[in-house]
Amino acid sequence: MASSTSVVLAALFANGAIAILKFGGFLLTGSPAMLSETYHSISDTGNQIFLLVGIRYGAQEANRSHPFGHGKAQFFYSLLVSVMLFGIAGWESARHGYDALREGGVHRANEPVTLFGASFDPVYVNYAVLLGAIAFESYAFWKAYQGISHQMDEYGWTTFREAFRKTSDVTTLTALTEDTIALAGAGIALFGIYLTRVTENPVYDAGAALVIGIMLMGFALALAWENKRLILGESLPKADENELRAIVADWEGVTELIDFRTVYFGAEQLLVTADVQFESGLDAGTIDERITEIELALMDHDDQIEKIYIEPETRSP
């Protein structure tokens, strides 16, 4: 949890600073791509606040009304992030870029600006802001990358695609996704502004804004899908669940594993239930000992497991 918080705080600091710089660049130059990137960074800043609220709320202790705790709050607030990313950053960026393209691009201000007594071409403001944004986002991306890499090492995932599909730590996943598209968006904006500068054709700038918006909406839909699966109560991946099943089924005194289920009730918080048939000759005390041994073995195998309920059976139902 502390790792997720540090990842989000790094992204919050970076995005807040970047949003101010990008908006200043837009005011000086009127660049559609810079306005799209401003929407993007404002949305990302709000998103980090949502993620922090989710972390804080999800850390509350279990109570009578929430007997398994509030861990799913992180899934809910991450879903809100994907909605904001789509609705504010993505849609507004794409709409603004499309409108600019229909008008043949928006001609940026070319008059020199004066700052601290020095006059210079305003396009250099955009270059400086976007390069600074890439530096800030690279720091935030590295923090998120370290977080997801730690999980990949811990659970034996070999690719980022596998981690994206299997992780329940949606906070780190969301931060990594945001930082990735933030770096890509800043690069696209920089390229579009540069092409407009050298060709004197504003269509490239406007086109960059449209591409950034479409990219944001695509990633937002992917994030929403990943959060949906966890909010609805997803189980462990089949291969991982089969490993847990094998531990129970092969335990001494177990004759049949009648039913076995897993479900996430929070980020890296797993619930396991099982109906287990034991040998008919075992007494109640021995069965209790075997159940305790199985529970410890399951938790030792996967440290995500926090709750285990094993129902003993002495004969087939």
Side-chain angles (χ1 to χ4, degrees):
M1 190 66 68
S3 175
S4 296
T5 302
S6 67
V7 167
V8 175
L9 286 173
L12 176 62
F13 168 76
N15 288 315
I18 291 167
I20 296 172
L21 293 174
K22 287 177 178 176
F23 186 62
F26 165 71
L27 290 177
L28 288 173
T29 66
S31 165
M34 287 302 290
L35 182 58
S36 289
E37 280 296 288
T38 301
Y39 285 137
H40 184 181
S41 292
I42 290 174
S43 174
D44 282 353
T45 302
N47 291 346
Q48 308 315 316
I49 295 173
F50 271 134
L51 292 178
L52 286 173
V53 171
I55 291 173
R56 180 70 179 271
Y57 191 76
Q60 294 184 81
E61 296 294 330
N63 54 34
R64 191 201 62 78
S65 58
H66 295 86
F68 292 103
H70 300 75
K72 283 194 173 185
Q74 290 191 53
F75 305 155
F76 171 73
Y77 283 102
S78 293
L79 180 63
L80 290 184
V81 165
S82 65
V83 172
M84 281 190 63
L85 195 63
F86 182 95
I88 295 179
W91 177 258
E92 287 300 318
S93 295
R95 184 183 64 83
H96 184 73
Y98 177 72
D99 289 343
L101 280 174
R102 289 183 62 189
E103 297 170 6
V106 176
H107 291 276
R108 298 175 292 106
N110 291 315
E111 297 79 9
V113 296
T114 301
L115 190 63
F116 302 118
S119 295
F120 50 88
D121 189 323
V123 74
Y124 292 113
V125 174
N126 286 345
Y127 291 160
V129 169
L130 290 172
L131 289 173
I134 289 172
F136 275 118
E137 293 293 356
S138 295
Y139 166 71
F141 173 83
W142 177 245
K143 293 287 291 184
Y145 176 83
Q146 288 179 312
I148 202 71
S149 294
H150 174 74
Q151 293 183 40
M152 291 174 69
D153 293 339
E154 182 177 1
Y155 300 117
W157 300 331
T158 56
T159 65
F160 283 103
R161 181 179 180 182
E162 183 181 11
F164 194 90
R165 289 188 295 105
K166 292 183 177 181
T167 185
S168 64
D169 184 3
V170 292
T171 300
T172 300
L173 175 65
T174 301
L176 178 67
T177 302
E178 283 188 348
D179 296 334
T180 301
I181 60 178
L183 282 171
I188 292 169
L190 185 63
F191 188 57
I193 291 170
Y194 171 75
L195 287 178
T196 290
R197 170 65 175 175
V198 297
T199 65
E200 298 185 353
N201 186 346
V203 167
Y204 294 109
D205 196 330
L210 178 60
V211 171
I212 290 168
I214 293 173
M215 178 184 66
L216 287 170
M217 288 190 287
F219 275 98
L221 289 174
L223 271 179
W225 182 263
E226 290 304 305
N227 282 286
K228 176 183 98 45
R229 68 179 173 84
L230 290 164
I231 288 176
L232 293 179
E234 186 177 60
S235 66
L236 265 178
K238 185 176 181 180
D240 297 330
E241 185 173 284
N242 285 341
E243 292 178 4
L244 299 179
R245 284 175 173 270
I247 291 174
V248 179
D250 296 340
W251 206 262
E252 182 182 0
V254 174
T255 59
E256 183 182 357
L257 179 57
I258 299 171
D259 186 44
F260 189 90
R261 304 183 187 189
T262 61
V263 66
Y264 281 104
F265 63 92
E268 298 184 293
Q269 295 177 300
L270 193 65
L271 168 67
V272 176
T273 67
D275 289 343
V276 181
Q277 181 176 325
F278 289 91
E279 296 173 353
S280 58
L282 297 179
D283 57 40
T286 302
I287 290 176
D288 286 342
E289 290 178 2
R290 298 288 164 81
I291 289 176
T292 299
E293 293 170 356
I294 292 172
E295 290 175 346
L296 292 174
L298 291 174
M299 296 178 76
D300 183 63
H301 183 80
D302 191 334
D303 59 10
Q304 295 182 103
I305 299 174
E306 293 196 4
K307 301 286 185 183
I308 303 176
Y309 297 101
I310 297 178
E311 181 69 22
E313 302 283 349
T314 55
R315 63 180 183 277
S316 299

